[in-house]
Amino acid sequence: MTAYVARRLLLLVPTLLALTVLAFLFVRALPGDAAVAILGPNASAESIERLRETLGLNLPLPQQYGEYLAGLLSGDLGTSAVSQRPIAGEIGARLPATIELSVAALLIGVPLGIALGRFSARRAGSAADATSTVVAVVAVSVPVFVLGLTLQYVFAVLLNWFPAIGRVTNSGAEERITGFVLLDAILSGRPDLLLDGLHHLVLPAVTLAAVPMAVTARIARAAYLAESRRPHVRIALAKGLAPAKVRRDHIAHNSWPPLVVVIGLQLGALLSGGIITENIFGWGGLGSLVVSSIRTRDYLVIQSGLLVLALIYVLVNMAVDVVNARIDPRLRSAR
Amino acid sequence: MQDRKSRPRGRLLVVAAVLSLALSACASADSNSQSQSSEPVDGGVFRLATVAEPAGLDPALVFDGDSYRINAQIYETLVTLAPGTTSEVVPALATSYTPNEDATEWTFQLREGVTFHDGTPFDAAAVKFNFDRWKNFPEALQSRAELYGTVFGGFGDAGILESVDVVDERTVGLRLSAPRPDLPITLTLPVFSIASPAALQEYGADEVDAASSEFANEHPVGTGPFVFDSWTHGDRVELVRNEDYWDEPAHLDRIVFKAISDAAARLNAVQAGDVDGADMINPRDVEAVTANSSLQLALRGSCNSGFVAFKSDQEPFDDPRVRQAVSHAINKEAIVDRFFGETGEPAWLLMPESIPFHDDSLENPEYDPDLARELLAEAGEPNPVVDFWYPTDVTRPWLPDSQGIFQAIAADLEAVGFQVTPRSATWTAYLQDSKTPAYGLFLLGWSCDYGAADNFYGGAFGYIDSAPNPRYQYTSDEFVAALETAQVAPEDQREAAWAQVQRIVYDDLPVVPFVHGSSSLAFSTRVHGYEPNPVLVEHLDDVWLSD
């Protein structure tokens, strides 16, 4: 197992290196640059050129990449061209918000998806199955911003059940310890703030949970059905084993591996959907940072932001593989 | 000059008048007039949804609207704008100023009893420190202090600011190497905010090697009615009332500026009551706001124009008749009605009426497609084939719906014979590429930095190093001579001189203006006293909240 993890970790190096190249080239393929974005339409060509020099945008691309990589290797993510702040700090300040939202969305989406999937698998072909299929298809195909704005309008504006934006009420009483609102509320022993944080979390988390919920439901249904049709299930039932026990030990358990893989992959949807969700709900996370940086062509922030997102994605998927190897002994021996 | 301190607190009436105008069609006008008569209440937290986080809180180095507004609460300038105006200069940190005869020496009398938020005194030495700092910015910072360069013609000795002299504790003299009659209005720009010299030094404001200054992020210190409290990056900036303000302290206890980049989400947030105001309302949502009895709309007014621009040195646009044809082909009224509604006015001059020396005698060229066709025929170009450019991914007060407005104008042009090929680019690329010859015909606009004729005409069409602005290639010795005369004209000749400048551009048509656009804010009806301003110098010390 240790060797397996070590090898996966080693593979990270070329993956991330390729990623830095891709991110670097991607942002430079965007038309326009930060100097133009910062100085705006009234600026003279001369001052744009001067700022470009200050920002190092006039250097040859290989040199710019070399400097960026050298910085990365020494643990320096660089400096934002727009705010002139160190990027590591910018990302660090926003990461808790993104993680909190993603985890909440996973906690809502995955159990709901599994429950829905198994529910329809057990009733395959029934009206209930058809309904849940429709729900899943709708959830996966409604664009995140449409769902987000609609939920916001209905539940915040019309019904006033939940706040429309933000992570907290801004009462001034919050204490920033870890940057995780819920965790900070617990650490500082403030149940009111915990409730306030949860209250704010509901709409964005539900918005973001829609896609993972739907995908998980589809996979859970398929995996459950596939397992339930296998010969050993029939034999177990024929031997007179209690159906509930068969479902738990022979069907549900064996349908886990494909599910775990899909849940890991859902993180990609969470990270991309998170960018939109964060913008709608004024959720100051990594996603909104990347979006605003694309608008201002803040190259290094985009590069480093993407790198951190990708790193999370890669690490989680690695963790998923490891978990799977534990669940399914066949994966271990197959190595 | 009217003293800010003695200014009647009746500012509110002005904005209330604007608001009730905007609301005249809806039932809430009554409740609104009700609140006019009530006395301001102290206290409360005012939460405003903004488009973006500020770029930074060192006022000298940023000029985006969201930084402007926050900095306008923390800091003060020597002189500022009367609420809601773009050109009426009123005292702030200086109580008065006197220029010498040729406007090269300016003496400012400073207000007494003012202290910075860190307790250090505001005096002539502090003013000198700030001016010297701007003038001697290291190169890396110069490139971000664009407006200092614009106003003083460059940094260090390359600019016209010769020296800043401490005459006595309360008197500062600015000596210029060239006349600058409109110096006072330029000094209302938030980039000329006076910051605490002690804080600037202690928190390394000018250390460019230190990736970001602590000053601009954690310790912005000025003299304004609000004191910086905190900046949660990615989320919000909070200010609290300055209890030791030299004027009457502000009504609000606290202001929270919360960035929400999505316009629909901002509106939802103010409707849901999560914030008390939302900036930059989408023009197509304006009706929804005025129809909602729990909201009020505030229009900023305009300090800009949107126009169709030419490369005047390129065929077919080098023929003035072709440019005139464009001017008569565009149905400005229809475009304003359809895309701007209350938020725009048809335009024919570069600057709106509110700017001093606006020439009211020049009239909107008539919308006349037949005349446009005739002009094209006379020019021997009945069906010019043109690439017509518009920017994507941008909204501006003068361009709320880039593609829609482009299509409407293109249709007008095609109706008189032009054969239009639509071309588009993303905003940052567009700004860059519109300076190249590929852009013969394109949509653009001019947003003023400050409300003066020179900022419009000099800014857009003034020569750079004796060459015309590459974006328009508008070459006219007559214009340049008139501009230079107007820039330094003595007071009694200024009106005529600027009229001359406007007349030349009006006749030459290097661009065809079609709109003066306004941005707008939506507030809950609890909010009173917010004076919107097209140049975003918005002082919030008179804002108050009712229950």
Side-chain angles (χ1 to χ4, degrees):
Chain A
M1 201 62 163
T2 323
Y4 176 64
V5 174
R7 209 181 50 187
R8 290 298 303 262
L9 277 175
L10 258 175
L11 269 174
L12 263 183
V13 176
T15 311
L16 289 180
L17 206 59
L19 246 156
T20 59
V21 177
L22 278 179
F24 180 87
L25 292 177
F26 157 70
V27 296
R28 276 163 187 77
L30 295 172
D33 66 30
V36 183
I38 291 171
L39 294 177
N42 297 6
S44 68
E46 192 199 353
S47 45
I48 289 174
E49 204 39 54
R50 209 168 40 199
L51 182 54
R52 203 166 274 154
E53 269 171 42
T54 311
L55 298 175
L57 298 176
N58 57 334
L59 301 175
L61 283 190
Q63 190 181 342
Q64 287 186 42
Y65 179 74
E67 285 180 9
Y68 174 60
L69 199 61
L72 278 187
L73 291 178
S74 63
D76 178 9
L77 292 182
T79 303
S80 157
V82 175
S83 70
Q84 293 180 275
R85 286 186 287 270
I87 294 167
E90 295 279 285
I91 290 178
R94 288 167 169 86
L95 206 50
T98 298
I99 293 175
E100 206 163 54
L101 180 59
S102 306
V103 169
L106 270 185
L107 288 181
I108 296 175
V110 167
L112 216 63
I114 293 176
L116 194 65
R118 291 188 176 163
F119 171 82
S120 28
R122 293 225 296 275
R123 292 162 185 74
S126 72
D129 179 29
T131 313
S132 87
T133 303
V134 170
V135 169
V137 169
V138 169
V140 86
S141 37
V142 171
V144 173
F145 75 91
V146 173
L147 180 66
L149 285 172
T150 309
L151 289 179
Q152 195 179 50
Y153 188 72
V154 173
F155 291 100
V157 177
L158 292 184
L159 299 174
N160 228 330
W161 289 358
F162 299 102
I165 52 146
R167 297 172 67 198
V168 290
T169 307
N170 293 341
S171 57
E174 307 86 7
E175 209 179 327
R176 191 185 167 93
I177 304 168
T178 60
F180 292 90
V181 167
L182 304 183
L183 202 56
D184 287 355
I186 295 170
L187 288 178
S188 51
R190 294 286 302 270
D192 55 323
L193 292 183
L194 181 65
L195 279 179
D196 182 55
L198 286 171
H199 198 208
H200 279 82
L201 193 54
V202 172
L203 289 183
V206 167
T207 304
L208 192 53
V211 171
M213 187 273 290
V215 175
T216 310
R218 299 313 294 155
I219 300 296
R221 179 183 181 277
Y224 193 92
L225 271 182
E227 287 303 323
S228 61
R229 285 172 189 154
R230 305 220 354 189
H232 71 270
V233 172
R234 256 188 322 218
I235 290 169
L237 285 172
K239 277 185 4 190
L241 217 57
K245 191 172 164 55
V246 173
R247 281 204 295 272
R248 194 179 66 233
D249 295 346
H250 292 279
I251 306 178
H253 183 85
N254 285 326
S255 67
W256 269 112
L259 262 179
V260 173
V261 171
V262 166
I263 293 165
L265 291 175
Q266 282 318 300
L267 202 78
L270 283 183
L271 294 176
S272 61
I275 289 177
I276 299 160
T277 311
E278 285 181 11
N279 274 296
I280 292 174
F281 291 99
W283 198 267
L286 206 47
S288 42
L289 176 71
V290 170
V291 169
S292 62
S293 305
I294 288 176
R295 211 172 293 137
T296 53
R297 303 289 186 267
D298 202 339
Y299 289 159
L300 291 183
V301 178
I302 311 172
Q303 280 166 223
S304 298
L306 290 180
L307 196 65
V308 170
L309 287 174
L311 186 66
I312 298 176
Y313 186 69
V314 172
L315 285 178
V316 168
N317 276 293
M318 205 183 95
V320 164
D321 286 347
V322 172
V323 168
N324 246 349
R326 291 210 81 92
I327 298 178
D328 188 346
R330 284 168 304 180
L331 288 180
R332 261 170 292 168
S333 54
R335 270 182 292 122
Chain B
M1 229 166 55
Q2 177 198 11
D3 191 288
R4 196 164 159 224
K5 199 162 195 169
S6 65
R7 198 177 57 227
R9 281 267 157 181
R11 272 197 213 183
L12 175 64
L13 291 175
V14 183
V15 79
V18 174
L19 294 176
S20 50
L21 250 180
L23 290 168
S24 56
C26 79
S28 75
D30 277 351
S31 63
N32 201 59
S33 56
Q34 199 83 52
S35 52
Q36 276 175 34
S37 52
S38 54
E39 280 292 305
V41 182
D42 284 348
V45 180
F46 176 57
R47 302 155 302 169
L48 183 67
T50 63
V51 178
E53 282 192 271
L57 299 178
D58 182 343
L61 298 175
V62 289
F63 44 94
D64 57 294
D66 288 306
S67 304
Y68 259 25
R69 183 173 33 213
I70 295 175
N71 287 333
Q73 319 312 323
I74 302 175
Y75 302 95
E76 291 171 294
T77 41
L78 291 179
V79 286
T80 191
L81 295 170
T85 76
T86 53
S87 50
E88 194 191 321
V89 180
V90 295
L93 287 178
T95 50
S96 70
Y97 55 81
T98 8
N100 69 349
E101 203 158 292
D102 65 350
T104 53
E105 280 173 37
W106 293 79
T107 309
F108 290 86
Q109 283 300 324
L110 305 182
R111 193 174 294 280
E112 288 193 40
V114 180
T115 48
F116 290 104
H117 301 156
D118 59 3
T120 56
F122 164 80
D123 55 16
V127 174
K128 177 176 167 56
F129 184 94
N130 277 272
F131 273 92
D132 285 347
R133 170 182 183 234
W134 305 326
K135 179 182 173 182
N136 300 314
F137 265 142
E139 222 166 278
L141 294 186
Q142 285 177 16
S143 52
R144 291 169 186 275
E146 166 86 358
L147 285 173
Y148 178 93
T150 307
V151 170
F152 291 107
F155 292 86
D157 294 331
I160 62 167
L161 180 60
E162 246 174 24
S163 67
V164 184
D165 309 307
V166 175
V167 180
D168 62 43
E169 209 191 349
R170 300 270 141 239
T171 316
V172 170
L174 295 189
R175 214 166 358 177
L176 309 179
S177 59
R180 185 83 226 203
D182 63 352
L183 184 71
I185 182 135
T186 64
L187 292 184
T188 65
L189 282 166
V191 295
F192 296 115
S193 295
I194 306 297
S196 156
L200 285 169
Q201 287 169 304
E202 184 178 352
Y203 300 110
D206 297 343
E207 282 166 27
V208 283
D209 291 339
S212 69
S213 90
E214 254 186 276
F215 178 83
N217 286 291
E218 301 299 333
H219 298 283
V221 179
T223 58
F226 291 92
V227 181
F228 174 78
D229 179 60
S230 67
W231 181 354
T232 311
H233 288 287
D235 193 22
R236 63 189 190 271
V237 174
E238 298 191 45
L239 312 179
V240 293
R241 177 171 46 216
N242 176 6
E243 303 289 354
D244 302 321
Y245 189 48
W246 56 265
D247 201 352
E248 278 176 60
H251 296 301
L252 300 166
D253 289 338
R254 182 179 281 269
I255 310 178
V256 178
F257 297 95
K258 165 102 188 136
I260 307 175
S261 60
D262 188 274
R266 277 199 301 281
L267 186 58
N268 277 348
V270 71
Q271 283 181 294
D274 282 8
V275 292
D276 307 295
D279 201 357
M280 299 295 165
I281 297 302
N282 197 318
R284 63 170 173 266
D285 292 331
V286 159
E287 257 177 68
V289 173
T290 48
N292 186 330
S293 61
S294 61
L295 294 182
Q296 42 180 341
L297 181 83
L299 286 174
R300 280 216 165 78
S302 177
C303 194
N304 62 50
S305 53
F307 45 71
V308 175
F310 311 102
K311 289 277 180 304
S312 292
D313 63 338
Q314 260 183 43
E315 277 185 6
F317 307 110
D318 54 348
D319 190 322
R321 288 168 298 194
V322 174
R323 302 200 295 272
Q324 285 160 17
V326 171
S327 161
H328 290 293
I330 299 174
N331 190 346
K332 298 173 186 175
E333 303 272 351
I335 288 169
V336 170
D337 266 1
R338 185 164 153 211
F339 297 100
F340 293 85
E342 287 180 54
T343 69
E345 296 279 343
W348 51 96
L349 298 183
L350 200 60
M351 59 191 204
E353 226 178 319
S354 58
I355 306 299
F357 310 126
H358 175 274
D359 187 349
D360 301 340
S361 71
L362 298 173
E363 286 181 1
N364 194 0
E366 229 169 295
Y367 166 59
D368 189 342
D370 293 331
L371 178 57
R373 264 178 233 118
E374 274 170 43
L375 285 162
L376 287 181
E378 272 176 43
E381 289 271 5
N383 297 101
V385 178
V386 295
D387 280 359
F388 184 12
W389 289 82
Y390 67 99
T392 56
D393 80 329
V394 65
T395 54
R396 285 287 180 276
W398 45 267
L399 200 68
D401 174 2
S402 161
Q403 196 176 8
I405 292 169
F406 167 83
Q407 283 165 353
I409 294 178
D412 283 346
L413 294 181
E414 283 180 333
V416 302
F418 283 92
Q419 295 176 16
V420 174
T421 310
R423 304 293 303 269
S424 65
T426 56
W427 181 234
T428 38
Y430 193 88
L431 287 179
Q432 190 69 354
D433 296 346
S434 53
K435 292 176 185 160
T436 65
Y439 283 55
L441 180 69
F442 56 102
L443 277 183
L444 202 64
W446 182 268
S447 298
C448 77
D449 302 304
Y450 52 93
D454 188 29
N455 189 251
F456 281 90
Y457 285 92
F461 303 127
Y463 279 20
I464 303 158
D465 296 331
S466 343
N469 185 339
R471 192 169 267 144
Y472 311 107
Q473 292 292 353
Y474 171 46
T475 314
S476 163
D477 294 341
E478 193 195 2
F479 165 76
V480 173
L483 178 68
E484 283 171 1
T485 308
Q487 281 169 337
V488 296
E491 200 154 2
D492 55 334
Q493 292 161 34
R494 247 176 259 165
E495 184 161 0
W498 281 115
Q500 176 70 4
V501 170
Q502 289 167 81
R503 160 78 58 183
I504 295 169
V505 173
Y506 176 83
D507 289 339
D508 286 350
L509 279 175
V511 300
V512 175
F514 61 89
V515 73
H516 300 302
S518 164
S519 59
S520 56
L521 306 101
F523 293 107
S524 114
T525 41
R526 298 175 62 213
V527 179
H528 310 269
Y530 191 109
E531 282 281 1
N533 188 310
V535 290
L536 298 164
V537 177
E538 295 174 349
H539 302 287
L540 305 188
D541 44 331
D542 282 349
V543 173
W544 58 279
L545 303 169
S546 52
D547 298 327

